[in-house]
Amino acid sequence: MSTRRRLPEAPYLAAATGRKPSRVPVWFMRQAGRSLPEYRELRAKNTMMQACFDSELVCEITMQPIRRHGVDAAILFSDIVVPLRGAGIALDIVPDVGPVIDHPVRTAADVDAMKGLELQGVSAIADAVGLLVSELGEVPLIGFAGAPFTLASYLIEGGPSKQHERTKAMMLADPSTWHALMEVLADLTIAFLKVQLDAGVDAIQVFDSWAGTLSLADYRSHVLPHSSRVFAALADYQVPMTHFGVGTAELLGAMGEAGAGVVGVDWRTSLSDAALRVGPNKALQGNLDPVALLAGWPAVERAARSVVDDGRRAVDAGAAGHIFNLGHGVLPATDPGLLTDLVGLVHSL
């Protein structure tokens, strides 16, 4: 285990661990990416997969929003399918489509054929974390991975899906194959996050992007035990851990039980409401609607002030802290100047 950086003044780490930050911390999911012209320039010369496995490119792309916006945390530039590639699964990230799996996983035999994470296959990620830790100074670095359910949905569907039909069908019709797959994916997620933690990230976030497609009963029986195992396996690192999904209003209580100290909230649920659902002593992260950023500055300012006020109400209702973020990732059409102004506004509040 690496020696962790000491960043006692970092507002992000303070809010995530229930201490009082010097200001409302702010960072954005997908802050490094298509909204930035400097990112688009780099990506014109590299595919997404090439960028994810080039440590110097990962470092540069991760740093871009830090230099431009002055956010309170960096998040490692990567993709949730990187550990799948690191476990030998043939896939590609297709522009305007997303991850596409060459041979979807649909049977018990497919699950049995899956391998664990090859550490050599993700050494570029560890190298990138090392570069970033020395370059970021006092800014914390968040590592991340996809949660087992979200990885399973890509593997089973063969790519992005709106209804997750095949995924739910396996879950409900063949629970033994389902749980076997989730065990493999939980091991993979744990191993990939340990690579990042051992290399020196200051916090982690687990994205269960598609969990909101499930009922609470199905989430509790088919997903929660596996997500809980991921957080339990990493608890000894004693870093802030965030659990995030989209459309998860009905699941927030269960997600709060999984073991992370921070729960991400999308824009559909108020933070003060989320505080009651998640339960006390958990920090909340969120939750400006990303589309608000396309509505011009007056609308952004109103919405941002409202989120900060709601975050204060959430803390009054028992939340351990509030980290300002969007309710999902930055949209490609977002004006980066507006994001910079938003950071300044949140810091001033």
Side-chain angles (χ1 to χ4, degrees):
M1 226 177 266
S2 75
T3 314
R4 196 78 39 216
R5 293 193 293 167
R6 293 265 171 266
L7 301 172
E9 302 306 314
Y12 167 80
L13 296 176
T17 52
R19 293 178 289 125
K20 190 160 177 56
S22 56
R23 62 189 183 209
V24 178
V26 52
W27 71 278
F28 306 113
M29 291 179 279
R30 294 205 195 118
Q31 62 189 15
R34 288 175 293 174
S35 65
L36 300 183
E38 57 268 43
Y39 169 80
R40 292 197 297 270
E41 200 178 307
L42 277 180
R43 274 294 315 282
K45 305 172 197 135
N46 304 274
T47 68
M48 180 68 176
M49 267 302 176
Q50 284 168 334
C52 285
F53 285 91
D54 180 323
S55 56
E56 291 188 359
L57 264 181
V58 169
C59 178
E60 170 57 26
I61 294 169
T62 303
M63 288 301 299
Q64 286 175 348
I66 308 303
R67 298 187 200 114
R68 185 187 266 268
H69 303 314
V71 283
D72 292 295
I75 186 162
L76 184 71
F77 175 76
S78 188
D79 190 275
I80 60 171
V81 297
V82 162
L84 296 177
R85 172 69 81 88
I89 290 166
L91 60 91
D92 197 11
I93 299 171
V94 178
D96 303 322
V97 177
V100 175
I101 312 294
D102 286 11
H103 305 289
V105 173
R106 301 212 171 132
T107 65
D110 293 337
V111 176
D112 290 342
M114 289 177 69
K115 301 182 184 75
L117 186 68
E118 284 286 333
L119 294 184
Q120 205 42 47
V122 291
S123 60
I125 284 78
D127 294 343
V129 171
L131 293 172
L132 282 160
V133 167
S134 58
E135 196 156 328
L136 279 164
E138 298 296 301
V139 179
L141 175 62
I142 305 166
F144 80 91
F149 173 78
T150 290
L151 293 179
S153 76
Y154 281 118
L155 280 176
I156 297 167
E157 303 292 339
S161 167
K162 283 197 166 64
Q163 304 298 332
H164 306 277
E165 300 99 321
R166 291 177 183 276
T167 307
K168 289 187 186 179
M170 181 197 282
M171 191 176 81
L172 299 172
D174 189 358
S176 65
T177 299
W178 171 260
H179 286 293
L181 175 59
M182 291 290 276
E183 287 281 326
V184 172
L185 293 174
D187 287 342
L188 186 62
T189 300
I190 291 163
F192 187 55
L193 287 168
K194 281 186 170 177
V195 166
Q196 297 172 57
L197 285 159
D198 288 339
V201 298
D202 305 291
I204 58 164
Q205 177 157 317
V206 175
F207 285 85
D208 213 347
S209 308
W210 309 134
T213 192
L214 298 172
S215 70
L216 178 58
D218 285 343
Y219 179 82
R220 280 196 174 282
S221 57
H222 293 94
V223 176
L224 181 58
H226 304 285
S227 294
S228 298
R229 185 161 74 82
V230 170
F231 290 116
L234 304 171
D236 284 351
Y237 284 90
Q238 297 186 308
V239 302
M241 301 190 287
T242 301
H243 198 184
F244 172 74
V246 186
T248 52
E250 294 305 314
L251 310 181
L252 285 172
M255 290 176 75
E257 293 165 26
V262 184
V263 176
V265 183
D266 80 4
W267 65 94
R268 298 171 181 88
T269 310
S270 73
L271 294 169
S272 40
D273 225 19
L276 301 176
R277 295 180 185 208
V278 169
N281 306 318
K282 300 276 181 186
L284 299 180
Q285 178 176 283
N287 69 341
L288 184 71
D289 186 339
V291 176
L293 290 163
L294 307 181
W297 179 250
V300 172
E301 182 177 3
R302 275 195 308 277
R305 287 178 182 276
S306 171
V307 168
V308 172
D309 289 343
D310 194 26
R312 292 192 175 124
R313 286 192 294 274
V315 171
D316 290 341
H322 173 226
I323 297 155
F324 188 102
N325 206 310
L326 305 181
H328 198 192
V330 174
L331 294 166
T334 305
D335 173 2
L338 207 125
L339 277 177
T340 307
D341 292 344
L342 176 56
V343 173
L345 172 67
V346 174
H347 284 166
S348 76
L349 300 175

